[in-house]
Amino acid sequence: MASMNQLKVKDLQILKLPPWSFELSAGESVFLSGPSGSGKTRLLRALADLDPHQGDMSLDDVSYLGMTAHEWRKKVAFLPAESQWWCVDVGGHFNQYNSDLLQQLGFSKETMSWEVARLSSGEKQRLALLRALAENPEVLLLDEPTANLDDKCTRVIEQVVEGLCRDHGMAAIWVTHNASQVQRIARHGWVLQGNAIIRQDT
């Protein structure tokens, strides 16, 4: 995993939400919650430079404007709530992957030869996480990654992300509605209420 000292976000603004400024240190895991439709996903997509926005973002004081969009997204990876699959087999979606993470997520190398059509929703979400981690991002943006999963799959995903934050300095921002999950994954985060973004400790 690449070493990251700090993500700095200054006056990030989308929709009718107020400017959002914060700093995220290496290894830190935070949450973002709020009602459906409040803008959580759009904020994550803006952080990944996938949607139009105002404001500045930087990693180790290097602005996203000094990188191509592809370079930024290698460093700041976005894991959507619903993963997309376009090849017949699993392996067709990977140029590379971490075999240790594959095992931690409950799979073997043979999984790469599986047809996507046979995957359960839990398997898809765990493999989508592996795909998001393939470029060794410095920041991982998770959009309700466990919303439709059972407790076992939920804990597997939490443990893998927690391990990468702890052992490799990756930072993570989780969008979640699950209060118990918030308590497990983060010490603080932000809640979207109306047109406000409010910092909150767990």
Side-chain angles (χ1 to χ4, degrees), residues 38-55:
S38 58
K40 302 181 300 296
T41 296
R42 290 288 298 275
L43 282 173
L44 288 194
R45 288 181 59 84
L47 288 169
D49 197 24
L50 287 164
D51 284 350
H53 61 274
Q54 297 176 326

Side-chain angles (χ1 to χ4, degrees), residues 56-198:
D56 190 34
M57 306 176 290
S58 64
L59 281 169
D60 295 341
D61 295 322
V62 178
S63 173
Y64 81 104
L65 295 172
M67 307 181 199
T68 66
H70 181 65
E71 288 173 333
W72 179 260
R73 290 168 199 153
K74 279 187 175 182
K75 297 175 181 293
V76 182
F78 174 63
L79 179 64
E82 293 188 14
S83 56
Q84 301 298 313
W85 302 87
W86 50 90
C87 297
V88 173
D89 60 28
V90 172
H93 300 85
F94 291 85
N95 292 322
Q96 61 184 15
Y97 63 89
N98 184 311
S99 56
D100 289 337
L101 287 178
L102 180 71
Q103 187 173 15
Q104 288 178 46
L105 288 165
F107 300 103
S108 66
K109 292 182 179 179
E110 286 69 34
T111 302
M112 291 295 154
S113 65
W114 292 0
E115 290 189 0
V116 171
R118 65 162 281 185
L119 298 176
S120 68
S121 59
E123 288 169 337
K124 284 182 178 178
Q125 200 63 4
R126 282 179 283 149
L127 287 167
L129 173 61
L130 181 71
R131 192 169 65 193
L133 295 170
E135 297 288 350
N136 296 324
E138 298 179 24
V139 181
L140 182 62
L141 310 171
L142 304 107
D143 190 7
E144 300 192 59
T146 62
N148 300 311
L149 304 185
D150 60 24
D151 288 342
K152 181 179 179 181
C153 287
T154 293
R155 294 305 177 94
V156 166
I157 286 178
E158 289 176 358
Q159 288 166 8
V160 166
V161 174
E162 180 185 16
L164 291 171
C165 292
R166 179 187 64 243
D167 300 333
H168 298 282
M170 185 184 76
I173 301 178
W174 297 70
V175 164
T176 178
H177 290 283
N178 187 319
S180 297
Q181 186 171 59
V182 166
Q183 293 291 328
R184 292 193 299 269
I185 64 175
R187 293 182 179 178
H188 77 273
W190 292 269
V191 178
L192 275 61
Q193 295 181 353
N195 290 330
I197 304 175
I198 302 168

